[in-house]
C-alpha cells in the first residue's frame, strides 16, 4: 500500500495554515510543507507572530516548525517532491469554525474525502484516509464521490447560515411583540429535533464561508435551471442584510433620528470573537450605514489591526467613490475606554468576552448624556439592571424596549431605509 511521506499545501491562509500544522503535529513521520506566493505571509508563519490569530495555534506550530513543518515560497520544489498536494484543502472540504479551528482539527465531527470513482481516485482517497487515521477514528472518516463531497460542504454551511437567519427573523418579531428571542431560542432549542446550536440572534453572520457558500449554492441552482431553489437560498442572504440594516436604523432612530457629527463607539470589528478575521464582518456593514449618515466612528477590537479596519472600510462596495470619508469619519483606537469617551452611543458588534468585564460606570461617566448602549450580540444581558441603574439606555437584539427616552424628531430623514430591497451581491 502506498504511504504518504511528504505533503504540500498550496495556500497559507486561514484553512491551509492551521490544517497542515495540525497534520504535521499529529503525523511526525510526514514532512508537511505549506507554500504561498505571498512572501510576507510566509515570513509571518516563520516568525514569532503568526499571520492569523487562533487559540492554540501558536503552540501547535512551535512544536513542529523546522522539524516536519515548513513554510516556503518555493512552490515548484514543494510540489515536485510531494506525495500529496492540497490546494487550500479543496480535495478534502474543511468544516472548521474560526476560533475553535485547532480543536475542530484535532477532534473533528467527521472528515470528508471526495474523489473520482476510478482506480487511481480510490487509491488517492485511501492514502489520504491513512493520514487522518493517525488520530481520527475510521468511523468518522467519510468517503464520497467528488460532487457529493463538494455539495456536502456547501449544504453544511447553507444550513448553518439558514438557522442564523431564521432566528434573526424571529428577533425582529420579538422586538415588535414583547417576546425575548433568547427565551424563544432556549425553548425551541430544547426540542431534540431542532437542537440549540446556531440559534443565537445577532447583527448577522459573517466570515469567509457562509455567504460565499450560500451564494455558490444559489449560482449552481440558477445554472442548473432551478430558480425556485435558488430563490429559497437567496433569502438567507437577504435576511442577513436586512438584520444588519435594521440594527443600524435602530441606532439612528434612538439617537433622535440623526447621527450626523455624533461620536459613536463601535466595539468589535472581527466577524466573531477569538479570531482576527474581518471578512464579511457585520461590523463593516454597520459602519457603512452609520458613515452614510455622517457618524464619527471610534472603533476598537482587541485583535484586528488598524490597517485592516481602514482597508475594509475603504472598499468601493463600502465607501463608493469616496474612500477619503473613512479617514474623515473613522478613528481606530487601542483602548475601549478611549473609544467611548465623549461618545453618544456604544455599539457592541462582536461578542468578545472582555466586553462583559469593562468598567461601565467609568464609561458612563465619560459619555455624553443620554448614554446609549446598543448590544448587537446580547453579551450584556446579565448586566442590564446594573447598567440601567447607572443611567444607560439599553437597546438589544430581539427584545422589546419597554421605556425609551422621549425626544422630538429632528425632521431629518435617514438615507438608509428598511423599505429598500437588499442589495444583490454578485454570485460567487
Amino acid at each position: 500500500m502506498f504511504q504518504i511521506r511528504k505533503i504540500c499545501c498550496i495556500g497559507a491562509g486561514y484553512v491551509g495554515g492551521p490544517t497542515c500544522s495540525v497534520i504535521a503535529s499529529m503525523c511526525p513521520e510526514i514532512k508537511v510543507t505549506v507554500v504561498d506566493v505571498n512572501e510576507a505571509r510566509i515570513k509571518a508563519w516563520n516568525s514569532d507572530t503568526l499571520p492569523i490569530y487562533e487559540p492554540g495555534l501558536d503552540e501547535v506550530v512551535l512544536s513542529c516548525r523546522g522539524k516536519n513543518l515548513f513554510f516556503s515560497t518555493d512552490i515548484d520544489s514543494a510540489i515536485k517532491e510531494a506525495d500529496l498536494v492540497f490546494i487550500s484543502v479543496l480535495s478534502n472540504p474543511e468544516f472548521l469554525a474560526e476560533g475553535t479551528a485547532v480543536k475542530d482539527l484535532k477532534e473533528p465531527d467527521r472528515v470528508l474525502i471526495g474523489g473520482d470513482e476510478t482506480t487511481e481516485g480510490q487509491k488517492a482517497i485511501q492514502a489520504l484516509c491513512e493520514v487522518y487515521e493517525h488520530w481520527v477514528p475510521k468511523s468518522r472518516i467519510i468517503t464520497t464521490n467528488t460532487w457529493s463531497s463538494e455539495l456536502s460542504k456547501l449544504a453544511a454551511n447553507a444550513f448553518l447560515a439558514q438557522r442564523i437567519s431564521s432566528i434573526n427573523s424571529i428577533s425582529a418579531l420579538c422586538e415588535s411583540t414583547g417576546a425575548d428571542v433568547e427565551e424563544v431560542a432556549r425553548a425551541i432549542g430544547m426540542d431534540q429535533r431542532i437542537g440549540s446550536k446556531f440559534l443565537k440572534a445577532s447583527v448577522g453572520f459573517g466570515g469567509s464561508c457562509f455567504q460565499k457558500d450560500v451564494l455558490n449554492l444559489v449560482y449552481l441552482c440558477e445554472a442548473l435551471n432551478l430558480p425556485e431553489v435558488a430563490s429559497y437560498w437567496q433569502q438567507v442572504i437577504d435576511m442577513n442584510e436586512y438584520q444588519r440594516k435594521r440594527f443600524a436604523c435602530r441606532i439612528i432612530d434612538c439617537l433622535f433620528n440623526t447621527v450626523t457629527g455624533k461620536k459613536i463607539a463601535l466595539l468589535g470589528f472581527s466577524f466573531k470573537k477569538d479570531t482576527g478575521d474581518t471578512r464579511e464582518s457585520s461590523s463593516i456593514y454597520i459602519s457603512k450605514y452609520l458613515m452614510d449618515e455622517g457618524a464619527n466612528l471610534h472603533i476598537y477590537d482587541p485583535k484586528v489591526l488598524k490597517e485592516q479596519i481602514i482597508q475594509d472600510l475603504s472598499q468601493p462596495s463600502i465607501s463608493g467613490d469616496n474612500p477619503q470619508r473613512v479617514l474623515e469619519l473613522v478613528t481606530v483606537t487601542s483602548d475601549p475606554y478611549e473609544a467611548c469617551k465623549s461618545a453618544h452611543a456604544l455599539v457592541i458588534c462582536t461578542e468578545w468576552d472582555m466586553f462583559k468585564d469593562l468598567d461601565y460606570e467609568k464609561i458612563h461617566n465619560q459619555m455624553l448624556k443620554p448614554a446609549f448602549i446598543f448590544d448587537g450580540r446580547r453579551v450584556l444581558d446579565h448586566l442590564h439592571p446594573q447598567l440601567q441603574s447607572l443611567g444607560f439606555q439599553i437597546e438589544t437584539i430581539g427584545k422589546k424596549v419597554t421605556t425609551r427616552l422621549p425626544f422630538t424628531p429632528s425632521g431629518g430623514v435617514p438615507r438608509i431605509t428598511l423599505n429598500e430591497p437588499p442589495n444583490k451581491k454578485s454570485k460567487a
Side-chain angles (χ1 to χ4, degrees):
M1 178 64 68
F2 175 73
Q3 288 187 318
I4 292 175
R5 294 298 180 188
K6 295 180 180 179
I7 291 176
C8 169
C9 174
I10 302 176
Y14 280 91
V15 175
T19 299
C20 287
S21 295
V22 170
I23 290 177
S25 174
M26 295 300 190
C27 308
E29 77 281 10
I30 297 177
K31 178 183 177 182
V32 181
T33 304
V34 184
V35 295
D36 202 296
V37 295
N38 189 322
E39 293 185 8
R41 180 179 295 170
I42 291 298
K43 185 178 180 180
W45 278 110
N46 285 315
S47 73
D48 293 332
T49 305
L50 301 185
I52 65 175
Y53 171 74
E54 191 67 42
L57 182 59
D58 284 28
E59 293 81 358
V60 171
V61 172
L62 290 175
S63 70
C64 49
R65 188 175 63 193
K67 300 173 184 176
N68 70 319
L69 174 64
F70 303 90
F71 297 92
S72 172
T73 56
D74 190 353
I75 300 175
D76 291 341
S77 296
I79 291 176
K80 288 177 182 177
E81 72 171 22
D83 300 318
L84 174 68
V85 178
F86 283 111
I87 304 177
S88 294
V89 202
L90 286 178
S91 59
N92 169 212
E94 48 80 22
F95 298 93
L96 309 181
E98 289 188 43
T100 59
V102 173
K103 181 178 183 296
D104 295 340
L105 286 163
K106 290 184 174 181
E107 304 170 16
D109 294 329
R110 79 291 201 197
V111 171
L112 180 58
I113 301 173
D116 294 338
E117 296 174 329
T118 61
T119 301
E120 292 78 7
Q122 293 304 302
K123 285 182 179 179
I125 288 174
Q126 185 56 39
L128 186 52
C129 283
E130 291 182 2
V131 172
Y132 282 106
E133 285 172 10
H134 279 73
W135 76 96
V136 180
K138 286 187 178 181
S139 59
R140 294 189 183 181
I141 301 176
I142 304 171
T143 60
T144 69
N145 65 42
T146 304
W147 262 114
S148 294
S149 174
E150 292 304 313
L151 275 181
S152 295
K153 164 66 173 173
L154 297 183
N157 278 338
F159 272 58
L160 295 175
Q162 179 195 48
R163 283 175 69 92
I164 296 173
S165 282
S166 293
I167 197 63
N168 280 343
S169 72
I170 298 300
S171 74
L173 187 60
C174 288
E175 291 168 24
S176 297
T177 60
D180 184 339
V181 73
E182 289 283 295
E183 295 176 349
V184 174
R186 181 170 178 268
I188 64 177
M190 292 182 72
D191 186 326
Q192 293 183 2
R193 298 168 299 173
I194 299 173
S196 60
K197 300 289 183 66
F198 283 80
L199 290 180
K200 183 71 174 179
S202 68
V203 288
F205 60 76
S208 65
C209 290
F210 280 4
Q211 177 164 294
K212 170 179 63 67
D213 286 351
V214 173
L215 288 176
N216 274 329
L217 200 58
V218 171
Y219 174 79
L220 187 61
C221 292
E222 290 177 342
L224 296 174
N225 196 28
L226 298 170
E228 292 82 5
V229 182
S231 178
Y232 175 84
W233 289 109
Q234 179 65 45
Q235 280 298 311
V236 173
I237 301 298
D238 292 349
M239 179 55 64
N240 199 49
E241 293 180 353
Y242 169 78
Q243 185 77 346
R244 292 164 169 171
K245 186 174 289 189
R246 195 172 68 82
F247 186 65
C249 285
R250 191 172 176 184
I251 295 171
I252 296 167
D253 176 52
C254 290
L255 292 180
F256 315 112
N257 214 34
T258 180
V259 293
T260 302
K262 293 181 178 178
K263 178 179 177 178
I264 296 178
L266 195 148
L267 302 187
F269 202 80
S270 59
F271 83 91
K272 69 174 185 179
K273 71 174 185 177
D274 293 335
T275 180
D277 194 353
T278 63
R279 288 176 291 181
E280 290 300 324
S281 172
S282 290
S283 301
I284 296 174
Y285 297 93
I286 300 300
S287 298
K288 167 186 162 47
Y289 297 137
L290 294 176
M291 285 194 297
D292 287 346
E293 296 295 313
N296 290 315
L297 303 181
H298 286 244
I299 301 173
Y300 168 79
D301 189 283
K303 291 298 178 182
V304 182
L305 298 176
K306 174 181 177 179
E307 294 78 12
Q308 185 64 54
I309 293 174
I310 298 300
Q311 178 182 321
D312 288 338
L313 296 180
S314 299
Q315 299 176 67
S317 61
I318 302 301
S319 290
D321 57 359
N322 183 26
Q324 182 64 27
R325 76 170 186 170
V326 177
L327 300 179
E328 297 170 353
L329 296 176
V330 175
T331 300
V332 180
T333 177
S334 59
D335 181 358
Y337 296 102
E338 184 64 29
C340 296
K341 187 176 181 180
S342 301
H344 289 79
L346 180 166
V347 180
I348 296 178
C349 287
T350 309
E351 70 280 20
W352 287 103
D353 291 334
M354 66 171 295
F355 296 155
K356 301 175 185 178
D357 301 320
L358 295 177
D359 185 343
Y360 284 97
E361 182 174 4
K362 175 181 177 181
I363 289 174
H364 183 268
N365 290 338
Q366 293 181 334
M367 289 179 66
L368 299 181
K369 309 301 184 294
F372 287 83
I373 291 179
F374 297 90
D375 187 357
R377 295 289 182 174
R378 296 292 296 254
V379 298
L380 301 181
D381 281 13
H382 65 296
L383 295 177
H384 280 190
Q386 174 190 339
L387 295 172
Q388 288 172 331
S389 68
L390 289 173
F392 279 111
Q393 175 74 16
I394 305 169
E395 300 285 333
T396 193
I397 291 283
K399 190 174 183 179
K400 186 177 181 180
V401 179
T402 53
T403 58
R404 280 185 175 173
L405 296 173
F407 70 90
T408 302
S410 64
V413 179
R415 284 180 283 277
I416 58 172
T417 170
L418 289 175
N419 294 326
E420 296 174 357
N423 295 323
K424 296 287 184 179
K425 288 186 171 62
S426 58
K427 306 299 188 296

